[in-house]
Structure formats: C-alpha cells, structure tokens
Amino acid sequence: MTPKSAFVKPVAAPAERRPLIVLGIASSEAALAIERRLQGLGCACRVAHTYDRLEALMAEGAECGAILDTHLCGKPTLAMRHCYPRLMQTTPVLYRVPDEEESFEEVLAAVRAGAYDVMFGLSGLHKLDGLVSEATFSRRPAEPPAQGLGDRGSSATEPADSRASISHARGLEAAHEHAEKELAKLLIGDSPAMDCIRRRIVEVAETNASVMICGESGTGKELVAQAIHQFSRVSAGPFVPVNMAAIPQGLAESLLFGHAKGSFTSAAKDQTGYCQSADGGTLFMDEISEMEVAIQPKLLRFLQTGVVQPIGAPRPTAVATRIITATNRDPGELVRSGQLREDLFYRLHVVPISIPPLRERPGDIRQLAAVFLDRYAAEHRRPARGFTEEALAALERLPLPGNVRQLENLVEQIVIFTRGALVTVSDIPTAFSGGPGAVRTGAQPTGPQRRGDAATPDAGPAAPTLKRFQQQERAAILEALQQSRGHVVDAAELLGLSQATVYRKIKEYQIPRERRRRKPKPR
C-alpha cells in the first residue's frame, strides 16, 4: 500500500534558501523575460542594469549563479573574473551576447573565461534550466572523501573538474554555433554540402593541422582558406596567399624560403621568403599541383621541423606558420603521376576539404546571384534590384564551368547592361544562356555559324564522347571563342576562367579554333 505521505504536495523552499541568480543585463525587457523564466524555475533574482550596480552585487558574494551581458555601459563584464575570482571558480556564469553586438571574438573570450554557456539575445532560454541545476549543485557543501575506497574517492576536486569540463564543452558548442552563423555570411549557400564545409572549417580552424582544399577553378578555395585563418587562433597574424602556378621556373625556393644577399648573382639584398613572411599566421599555397618537384623535399622538411633555411643564410630560422594548400585536380592522381611526393601529400592532406562545383548544388545559385546583384548594382549605380523567377531558373540551368567566379562575372555583366529594376531571361548573354530570346552583348560570330547553331556540342570535327555537363562546358567555351573571335584571353574573361583552364579544356574537348594574335587595346 502506498504511504499517505507520498501524496502530500511538497512545500516550497523558503525564499532565502532559493538559488540566487544575479542578472547583469542592460535591456529591461530582456532582464524581465529572463527573470520570469528563472522565477518559474524556483530562483530568486537580483537585477543590475549598470556596471556599477553589478559590481556592488558581485561584491556581496551571495549569488549562486549569474547571467551577464558581455558588456554593460560599454565595459566588458568578462573582466570581472579578475576582480571576483570566485565568480569563475565556484559560480556558473552564463554570458549573453546582445543581438546588436554579436561578435565571434566576444564568444571566444567568454568561453576562454570559463563561461558555463553563451546565449544570443533571448534565444536559447532553455539554457537557463541547466544553469539553475548547476547553480543548485554549487550551493551544496563539499562531501568528505569516501573512506576505504583508495584513490577512487580521494579527490575532492573531481566533481568541480567534471563540471568545469562540461561547462567548457557547452561553451565550445556555443562558440561553434556562432562561428557557423558568421561563416554563413561569408560562404553563401544553404545546400547540405555548404553546411558540411562550414562545420568542417569551424572544427579545423582552432587547430594547427594542415588543410588541403580541393575543388574546380572558381569554387572559392581561397575564400575557404581565408575563413579558416579568420576563425583560427592566429587570425591576428598575416594571411599570405601564393599562387604556385605563377612562380617562374627555378625561383620557387628563393620565393618560398628567402635568400641572403650575395647568395647568387642577382641577390642584391636579403629577401624574406613567403614561409617566414607568414610567421604567426597562415601561408596559403594555391595550385599546389604546379609546384616544382625539386622544391618539395625542402617544403616537407619545413613542415616537419618548422625551420626555414634561406639560400645562403648562415643559420636557419624557426617560424610558426600554418600551411593551407589548394588544388583543382585530384590529389591522388597527382601522387600517382609523380607530380606530388607521397610523403609531402600526407603532410599536406591532414584535413581535406572538398568544395563541390555549382552544378552539384544549383540551389545555391539563387542566393549567390542575389548577393552579387546587390553588390554590383550599388558599385556601378545601376537600377537592377532583383531577378524574375524565369531568370533565376535560367541561371540554375547554366553549365557555369567557371563556377562561382563565372557566376559573379556574369551577374556583374548583367547588372551593367540591364535597364530595368528586374533582370529577365533576355538580359542573360547568349554566351551563357544559348537561348533564342537572349540578347547578344558581345561581338557577332564570323562565318556561316549563327545564333542557335554556334553553341551545339557537336560543333567542330572529332568531338569526343562527353557527359552532359561536359557537353555544356564545351558549348559555352565554343560560344565564348566565337564572341571573342578566337582570342583565348578574351574568351577566358567572358567565362570567368583562367587562361590555363581554357587552354586545357580546349585540348580536352578537342575544340577547333583559328589561332589569332590578340590585338592590343588602345591606350
């Protein structure tokens, strides 16, 4: 039989014994909403809207927990941990970042200060439940160590250490959440692939691991590298980008590692190399596949030791430089072909990040196009304010072999020539749309080919068997070559691709073209 006492409603604890939570919150509305939630959880609250009032409450030392804005009256509440050590040692503190003051640096600072957790604005009120439980636990007197259990029960600090670990984990989770939110403004796209990339950036940014970014030309590999640097511990240091394909033959060692004056004929003065210039920061080596094989052992040695030996220098120099590399080719194929040493590959490929081309995430095109349109409409003072649904659908169907870079160039061109507030299908250049109703903005093709038959995948002799997206790429390159009268440089500008990429695809797709020298532009 169930005892009668089991049905007796428990009596509420006296007010003086309820957990006391101090609120250091500038906004009266936010403080009231949080206070009501805490009172519903059985807590007593004391509110401070100014920094001086908060200092007075902290000095009393009666609180069991605290919820603090990161700033009050322009002063950082994070600094209180120096004045009131007990605040961080035995009292859980939840920091609140006001919506108008969201800053990744503030979140990191709060986590490093030992925050129980971090909330943004009034979102995450559910976190108050955990804070109250932690505050209630922190009020309990320390239990004496168990007797007769040996070392297992001898550590009185174990519960506190465990709570500190849990608190730190919650703080890191909040910091990661905020970092991904900030990254969404930098790396645009709601596709699952972009979400995965942003999470991977946040995870790897706080480490010193080498990262290799793989993706086709124009997918934004350097932007990803910049994001890793921006959210890393060395964000205050330099970010040094180097295009390995642009380094002349034989100069890679001098440019990467530097040289001393007089070390060779043209060495008129000491030269600091890229590796040393990025000391305390990040060195981004793009197009790593173009690196000379002869220089790779020295780069491997630098990665293993962190020491730079400039050419002709009497002694080496230790530097702390993080290496991020990128390639638009399959890194495994580079190793198999002997263009990249296997041991160097394993050093550079610690954390791989693969960026899919736009054709595999067409849903991101709408967001990207809207951002580019707003940017260039303001820059060029043009009336375009948006796209029609048909124009957006047409953009999503484009092959875009140049990916995001090509889309950006295309939208800028559209903005410049569009006269209305809305971009329509007819505003998309023929070189990209291939549609019969499109407006041609470039030069007309010469010869018998005209609009409609100029961009067919079978144009030219000996066309190879291609997949559908390759046929679309080939058609776009053909059209661009016709508009540029066979000049590859101009065709590359139209497509938003590098000249090397266009030449490679011309050879790969066996595209016939008449070789012509480009006429210099009038000065």
Side-chain angles (χ1 to χ4, degrees):
M1 182 176 177
T2 306
K4 186 177 180 180
S5 59
F7 297 97
V8 177
K9 185 177 180 179
V11 179
E16 64 272 15
R17 298 191 60 185
R18 293 192 298 169
L20 175 62
I21 309 295
V22 171
L23 308 183
I25 299 177
S27 168
S28 301
E29 294 79 3
L32 181 60
I34 293 175
E35 185 176 9
R36 287 175 177 171
R37 178 68 177 261
L38 290 173
Q39 288 175 345
L41 294 171
C43 296
C45 299
R46 301 183 71 180
V47 183
H49 296 304
T50 66
Y51 191 87
D52 292 340
R53 174 60 178 161
L54 180 60
E55 277 192 317
L57 293 179
M58 292 291 102
E60 294 178 9
E63 75 286 343
C64 301
I67 302 173
L68 309 179
D69 278 356
T70 52
H71 284 79
L72 271 180
C73 302
K75 297 181 180 179
T77 57
L78 298 174
M80 284 192 163
R81 70 184 188 277
H82 301 299
C83 304
Y84 307 98
R86 187 184 57 81
L87 183 65
M88 290 302 178
Q89 293 175 359
T90 61
T91 305
V93 178
L94 188 151
Y95 280 103
R96 191 183 83 99
V97 183
D99 292 330
E100 65 276 8
E101 297 178 5
E102 284 196 13
S103 165
F104 180 69
E105 290 73 19
E106 291 292 341
V107 176
L108 276 184
V111 172
R112 289 166 180 164
Y116 166 80
D117 208 337
V118 181
M119 64 184 290
F120 308 103
L122 284 177
S123 64
L125 284 175
H126 61 280
K127 296 181 178 181
L128 301 181
D129 301 13
L131 176 72
V132 171
S133 298
E134 185 72 11
T136 305
F137 185 88
S138 67
R139 295 174 64 246
R140 299 175 184 172
E143 297 181 1
Q147 300 296 323
L149 297 178
D151 294 337
R152 291 182 58 188
S154 62
S155 175
T157 62
E158 184 174 342
D161 291 344
S162 177
R163 293 199 308 274
S165 299
I166 295 172
S167 175
H168 183 66
R170 288 196 185 100
L172 283 178
E173 182 181 352
H176 286 181
E177 176 187 340
H178 185 66
E180 289 181 31
K181 186 176 178 182
E182 290 295 307
L183 270 174
K185 303 173 186 176
L186 182 66
L187 300 173
I188 300 165
D190 289 335
S191 62
M194 291 306 296
D195 288 339
C196 180
I197 289 172
R198 286 191 286 265
R199 286 194 299 271
R200 205 164 180 82
I201 288 173
V202 171
E203 292 290 344
V204 75
E206 58 191 24
T207 72
N208 294 322
S210 298
V211 180
M212 180 176 285
I213 307 168
C214 302
E216 294 182 5
S217 294
T219 49
K221 297 186 289 295
E222 183 168 346
L223 198 62
V224 170
Q226 288 175 337
I228 295 173
H229 173 75
Q230 179 180 337
F231 289 91
S232 71
R233 301 171 185 171
V234 297
S235 58
F239 177 81
V240 180
V242 180
N243 188 339
M244 300 304 297
I247 296 180
Q249 187 77 15
L251 293 181
E253 182 175 1
S254 174
L255 292 176
L256 283 176
F257 304 109
H259 62 255
K261 179 180 178 181
S263 55
F264 50 86
T265 305
S266 58
K269 60 179 180 179
D270 290 345
Q271 178 66 47
T272 301
Y274 293 132
C275 292
Q276 194 168 352
S277 297
D279 188 15
T282 301
L283 174 63
F284 173 57
M285 303 174 69
D286 198 6
E287 302 293 352
I288 193 68
S289 59
E290 304 300 324
M291 176 187 288
E292 300 174 26
V293 176
I295 196 64
Q296 293 183 20
K298 190 160 187 177
L299 178 61
L300 176 62
R301 179 69 177 170
F302 166 67
L303 290 169
Q304 292 172 334
T305 63
V307 170
V308 170
Q309 179 78 49
I311 300 173
R315 49 186 171 274
T317 303
V319 296
T321 300
R322 182 181 193 167
I323 300 291
I324 299 177
T325 56
T327 179
N328 59 4
R329 300 173 60 184
D330 178 8
E333 180 58 35
L334 294 175
V335 174
R336 288 189 291 272
S337 65
Q339 292 176 268
L340 187 64
R341 288 173 56 111
E342 187 174 9
D343 48 4
L344 178 59
F345 166 75
Y346 290 126
R347 279 284 179 177
L348 297 175
H349 198 260
V350 177
V351 178
I353 295 180
S354 180
I355 309 176
L358 270 182
R359 62 177 174 273
E360 295 180 11
R361 47 188 180 97
D364 292 342
I365 290 178
R366 291 177 175 246
Q367 280 184 283
L368 289 163
V371 169
F372 295 147
L373 182 135
D374 291 342
R375 177 186 304 171
Y376 291 112
E379 180 178 329
H380 299 300
R381 299 182 181 180
R382 288 296 191 265
R385 294 293 177 267
F387 294 89
T388 64
E389 182 61 31
E390 293 78 10
L392 286 172
L395 287 177
E396 289 181 332
R397 291 194 298 269
L398 297 182
L400 296 174
N403 294 291
V404 179
R405 185 190 295 122
Q406 182 181 3
L407 178 64
E408 182 176 3
N409 291 350
L410 170 59
V411 172
E412 182 177 12
Q413 181 180 351
I414 290 172
V415 166
I416 291 172
F417 290 102
T418 298
R419 292 292 175 261
L422 287 179
V423 174
T424 64
V425 175
S426 62
D427 294 315
I428 301 176
T430 307
F432 299 96
S433 67
V439 175
R440 184 179 297 277
T441 58
Q444 297 292 330
T446 58
Q449 292 178 325
R450 295 293 176 189
R451 183 185 308 170
D453 61 7
T456 57
D458 295 328
T465 303
L466 302 174
K467 297 179 181 178
R468 183 173 180 177
F469 79 87
Q470 291 175 319
Q471 293 175 353
Q472 293 173 328
E473 284 187 351
R474 187 175 190 272
I477 294 171
L478 270 169
E479 181 72 13
L481 285 170
Q482 289 170 0
Q483 285 202 29
S484 62
R485 298 182 179 274
H487 301 305
V488 175
V489 175
D490 292 335
E493 290 179 357
L494 273 175
L495 294 167
L497 296 171
S498 68
Q499 297 173 39
T501 299
V502 175
Y503 277 116
R504 187 177 74 249
K505 289 186 178 292
I506 286 173
K507 182 178 180 181
E508 178 184 351
Y509 297 152
Q510 300 177 22
I511 296 175
R513 69 183 186 89
E514 183 180 351
R515 297 183 182 273
R516 298 178 180 177
R517 289 190 176 183
R518 188 188 187 198
K519 294 181 180 180
K521 294 181 179 180
R523 295 183 178 178

